[in-house]
Amino acid sequence: DEAGTLAYGAKLAGGGFDFNKFIRQPQTIVRLLSWIFAMVVFACITTEGYINSAHSAEAKCIFNQNDSACQYAVGIGVIAFLACVGFLVLDVYVPFMSNAQERKYAVMADLGFSGAWTFLWFVCFCLLASQWGSTHDIRGVPMDAGRATVAFSFFSIATWGILTYFALGRFRRGVNEVTIPTYADPPLDHHTPYPPTYAPTSYNPTTYTPTTYTAYPSNMPDIHQQPPFTPNPQPPGDAGYQPPNY
């Protein structure tokens, strides 16, 4: 049906792509912000996140010399960066999909990934904030890079949470459009030789009662009775006329 065909956001099937309209969509704007925030997080750590301590030539993470914190943030940031690019491409392609099932899978993938990365960014923020607060030796530590990493990790929680909300809204709308009640034929009854729609009803014959007519009395004259036949009727004025004899 048409509702199922248009489910999960199929509005441009057979149409053209409007870049200006796409770039102004709230979902596109938030996804671009998530892409920028992820890039800032892993770029700050990969460029300024490791320094040499005064007692060792080995470079250590600026977050309390905990290399695991830096590695976790870089991993989450790089994956989020690539995922934003992939989902941006998917956002362009989904409205042109003619198969509702494929659109459903795309929306479910967006919903699942956005929800998972909202949680992972929360863990990343808690880890970085905890390790940054425990860093006591700040000699040579790039303070701006550390603060930016913690701040943009927090911002990423908000943007990915908003993306999760958008994906959940599209999924619910798609489910509601698919489940619109439509007409369904009644189930066939295999115990009757007729389909249920055309099953004959029981026949109840009615008894015919003839109408009784009352005869006229025999002594009454029949006004419609014809007079007896006369062979040569004469005119009324010539009843006593006799022809002359010669």
Side-chain angles (χ1 to χ4, degrees), residues 11-25 28 32 87-97:
K11 299 179 181 179
L12 301 176
F17 174 68
D18 188 350
F19 177 78
N20 293 328
K21 182 178 179 181
F22 173 77
I23 205 67
R24 291 194 301 264
Q25 290 179 353
T28 305
L32 289 173
F87 280 113
L88 279 173
V89 175
L90 194 62
D91 290 341
V92 175
Y93 181 66
V94 164
F96 296 95
M97 293 181 179

Side-chain angles (χ1 to χ4, degrees), residues 74-90:
V74 171
I76 295 299
V78 171
I79 296 175
F81 176 85
L82 297 176
C84 287
V85 176
F87 280 113
L88 279 173
V89 175
L90 194 62

Side-chain angles (χ1 to χ4, degrees), residues 1-4 6-7 173-183:
D1 55 340
E2 184 178 358
L6 300 178
R173 288 193 300 270
V175 171
N176 293 335
E177 291 171 355
V178 170
T179 56
I180 292 177
T182 55
Y183 172 77

Side-chain angles (χ1 to χ4, degrees), residues 30-31 33-38 41 72 76-77 80 84 113-129 148-166:
V30 176
R31 206 179 292 284
L33 290 175
S34 300
W35 178 72
I36 295 173
F37 295 165
V41 169
Y72 179 82
I76 295 299
C84 287
F113 189 91
S114 299
W117 246 248
T118 303
F119 173 75
L120 293 177
W121 275 121
F122 174 75
V123 174
C124 182
F125 167 74
C126 293
L127 176 62
L128 294 179
T149 303
V150 176
F152 282 96
S153 297
F154 177 77
F155 297 155
S156 296
I157 300 174
T159 55
W160 283 94
I162 295 173
L163 290 175
T164 304
Y165 174 77
F166 287 158

